[in-house]
mmCIF file of all heavy atoms in Angstrom:
data_model
loop_
_atom_site.group_PDB
_atom_site.id
_atom_site.type_symbol
_atom_site.label_atom_id
_atom_site.label_comp_id
_atom_site.label_asym_id
_atom_site.label_seq_id
_atom_site.Cartn_x
_atom_site.Cartn_y
_atom_site.Cartn_z
ATOM 1 N N GLY A 57 12.672 -51.068 -60.648
ATOM 2 C CA GLY A 57 12.941 -50.984 -59.221
ATOM 3 C C GLY A 57 12.730 -49.533 -58.713
ATOM 4 O O GLY A 57 12.149 -49.323 -57.655
ATOM 5 N N PHE A 58 13.153 -48.528 -59.529
ATOM 6 C CA PHE A 58 12.848 -47.108 -59.152
ATOM 7 C C PHE A 58 11.418 -46.857 -59.007
ATOM 8 O O PHE A 58 10.949 -46.219 -58.050
ATOM 9 C CB PHE A 58 13.555 -46.211 -60.181
ATOM 10 C CG PHE A 58 13.159 -44.741 -59.987
ATOM 11 C CD1 PHE A 58 13.711 -44.018 -58.971
ATOM 12 C CD2 PHE A 58 12.295 -44.095 -60.863
ATOM 13 C CE1 PHE A 58 13.396 -42.695 -58.758
ATOM 14 C CE2 PHE A 58 11.984 -42.827 -60.674
ATOM 15 C CZ PHE A 58 12.496 -42.051 -59.608
ATOM 16 N N ALA A 59 10.579 -47.325 -59.945
ATOM 17 C CA ALA A 59 9.128 -47.079 -59.917
ATOM 18 C C ALA A 59 8.577 -47.806 -58.740
ATOM 19 O O ALA A 59 7.702 -47.169 -57.979
ATOM 20 C CB ALA A 59 8.528 -47.614 -61.202
ATOM 21 N N LEU A 60 9.019 -49.014 -58.426
ATOM 22 C CA LEU A 60 8.409 -49.743 -57.278
ATOM 23 C C LEU A 60 8.824 -49.105 -55.937
ATOM 24 O O LEU A 60 7.976 -48.906 -55.037
ATOM 25 C CB LEU A 60 8.852 -51.176 -57.322
ATOM 26 C CG LEU A 60 8.259 -51.993 -58.405
ATOM 27 C CD1 LEU A 60 8.890 -53.450 -58.414
ATOM 28 C CD2 LEU A 60 6.756 -52.146 -58.194
ATOM 29 N N VAL A 61 10.118 -48.764 -55.765
ATOM 30 C CA VAL A 61 10.561 -48.157 -54.564
ATOM 31 C C VAL A 61 9.930 -46.804 -54.337
ATOM 32 O O VAL A 61 9.507 -46.462 -53.195
ATOM 33 C CB VAL A 61 12.108 -48.050 -54.514
ATOM 34 C CG1 VAL A 61 12.581 -47.208 -53.345
ATOM 35 C CG2 VAL A 61 12.735 -49.415 -54.495
ATOM 36 N N THR A 62 9.762 -46.039 -55.371
ATOM 37 C CA THR A 62 9.082 -44.707 -55.256
ATOM 38 C C THR A 62 7.644 -44.834 -54.871
ATOM 39 O O THR A 62 7.108 -44.152 -54.003
ATOM 40 C CB THR A 62 9.222 -43.943 -56.605
ATOM 41 O OG1 THR A 62 10.633 -43.774 -56.902
ATOM 42 C CG2 THR A 62 8.561 -42.585 -56.530
ATOM 43 N N ALA A 63 6.970 -45.871 -55.457
ATOM 44 C CA ALA A 63 5.543 -46.072 -55.139
ATOM 45 C C ALA A 63 5.386 -46.519 -53.692
ATOM 46 O O ALA A 63 4.539 -46.022 -52.998
ATOM 47 C CB ALA A 63 4.985 -47.115 -56.089
ATOM 48 N N VAL A 64 6.250 -47.452 -53.300
ATOM 49 C CA VAL A 64 6.155 -47.909 -51.845
ATOM 50 C C VAL A 64 6.458 -46.757 -50.902
ATOM 51 O O VAL A 64 5.811 -46.592 -49.891
ATOM 52 C CB VAL A 64 7.107 -49.112 -51.633
ATOM 53 C CG1 VAL A 64 7.253 -49.407 -50.167
ATOM 54 C CG2 VAL A 64 6.534 -50.324 -52.382
ATOM 55 N N ALA A 65 7.474 -46.003 -51.194
ATOM 56 C CA ALA A 65 7.871 -44.840 -50.339
ATOM 57 C C ALA A 65 6.663 -43.809 -50.281
ATOM 58 O O ALA A 65 6.347 -43.267 -49.225
ATOM 59 C CB ALA A 65 9.100 -44.185 -50.832
ATOM 60 N N ALA A 66 6.059 -43.609 -51.452
ATOM 61 C CA ALA A 66 4.882 -42.650 -51.453
ATOM 62 C C ALA A 66 3.714 -43.201 -50.639
ATOM 63 O O ALA A 66 3.040 -42.476 -49.934
ATOM 64 C CB ALA A 66 4.462 -42.390 -52.892
ATOM 65 N N LEU A 67 3.479 -44.491 -50.757
ATOM 66 C CA LEU A 67 2.370 -45.100 -49.973
ATOM 67 C C LEU A 67 2.649 -45.056 -48.457
ATOM 68 O O LEU A 67 1.755 -44.698 -47.678
ATOM 69 C CB LEU A 67 2.109 -46.515 -50.376
ATOM 70 C CG LEU A 67 1.453 -46.705 -51.800
ATOM 71 C CD1 LEU A 67 1.470 -48.152 -52.181
ATOM 72 C CD2 LEU A 67 0.039 -46.131 -51.807
ATOM 73 N N LEU A 68 3.879 -45.350 -48.108
ATOM 74 C CA LEU A 68 4.286 -45.229 -46.672
ATOM 75 C C LEU A 68 4.227 -43.774 -46.209
ATOM 76 O O LEU A 68 3.781 -43.515 -45.109
ATOM 77 C CB LEU A 68 5.655 -45.816 -46.468
ATOM 78 C CG LEU A 68 5.733 -47.358 -46.605
ATOM 79 C CD1 LEU A 68 7.186 -47.756 -46.477
ATOM 80 C CD2 LEU A 68 4.896 -48.069 -45.578
ATOM 81 N N GLY A 69 4.644 -42.904 -47.060
ATOM 82 C CA GLY A 69 4.590 -41.444 -46.705
ATOM 83 C C GLY A 69 3.139 -40.993 -46.565
ATOM 84 O O GLY A 69 2.821 -40.217 -45.640
ATOM 85 N N HIS A 70 2.258 -41.454 -47.347
ATOM 86 C CA HIS A 70 0.852 -41.123 -47.288
ATOM 87 C C HIS A 70 0.279 -41.587 -45.955
ATOM 88 O O HIS A 70 -0.538 -40.898 -45.346
ATOM 89 C CB HIS A 70 0.046 -41.672 -48.440
ATOM 90 C CG HIS A 70 -1.389 -41.380 -48.368
ATOM 91 N ND1 HIS A 70 -1.913 -40.141 -48.543
ATOM 92 C CD2 HIS A 70 -2.484 -42.193 -48.130
ATOM 93 C CE1 HIS A 70 -3.233 -40.168 -48.379
ATOM 94 N NE2 HIS A 70 -3.581 -41.409 -48.137
ATOM 95 N N ARG A 71 0.680 -42.818 -45.513
ATOM 96 C CA ARG A 71 0.224 -43.312 -44.291
ATOM 97 C C ARG A 71 0.723 -42.482 -43.096
ATOM 98 O O ARG A 71 -0.009 -42.178 -42.157
ATOM 99 C CB ARG A 71 0.702 -44.761 -44.027
ATOM 100 C CG ARG A 71 0.014 -45.679 -44.971
ATOM 101 C CD ARG A 71 0.411 -47.145 -44.610
ATOM 102 N NE ARG A 71 -0.848 -47.797 -44.177
ATOM 103 C CZ ARG A 71 -0.847 -48.886 -43.497
ATOM 104 N NH1 ARG A 71 0.232 -49.431 -43.074
ATOM 105 N NH2 ARG A 71 -2.067 -49.382 -43.178
ATOM 106 N N VAL A 72 1.947 -42.042 -43.178
ATOM 107 C CA VAL A 72 2.526 -41.213 -42.090
ATOM 108 C C VAL A 72 1.930 -39.749 -42.087
ATOM 109 O O VAL A 72 1.452 -39.345 -41.039
ATOM 110 C CB VAL A 72 4.070 -41.124 -42.209
ATOM 111 C CG1 VAL A 72 4.667 -40.103 -41.300
ATOM 112 C CG2 VAL A 72 4.714 -42.486 -41.997
ATOM 113 N N TYR A 73 1.955 -39.134 -43.265
ATOM 114 C CA TYR A 73 1.423 -37.778 -43.343
ATOM 115 C C TYR A 73 -0.076 -37.672 -43.281
ATOM 116 O O TYR A 73 -0.679 -36.708 -42.852
ATOM 117 C CB TYR A 73 1.928 -37.097 -44.571
ATOM 118 C CG TYR A 73 3.422 -36.833 -44.555
ATOM 119 C CD1 TYR A 73 4.242 -37.402 -45.481
ATOM 120 C CD2 TYR A 73 3.983 -35.988 -43.577
ATOM 121 C CE1 TYR A 73 5.595 -37.150 -45.442
ATOM 122 C CE2 TYR A 73 5.336 -35.796 -43.549
ATOM 123 C CZ TYR A 73 6.132 -36.372 -44.452
ATOM 124 O OH TYR A 73 7.492 -36.133 -44.473
#
Side-chain angles (χ1 to χ4, degrees):
F58 171 72
L60 289 174
V61 171
T62 300
V64 168
L67 289 173
L68 291 174
H70 178 69
R71 292 186 114 198
V72 170
Y73 291 118

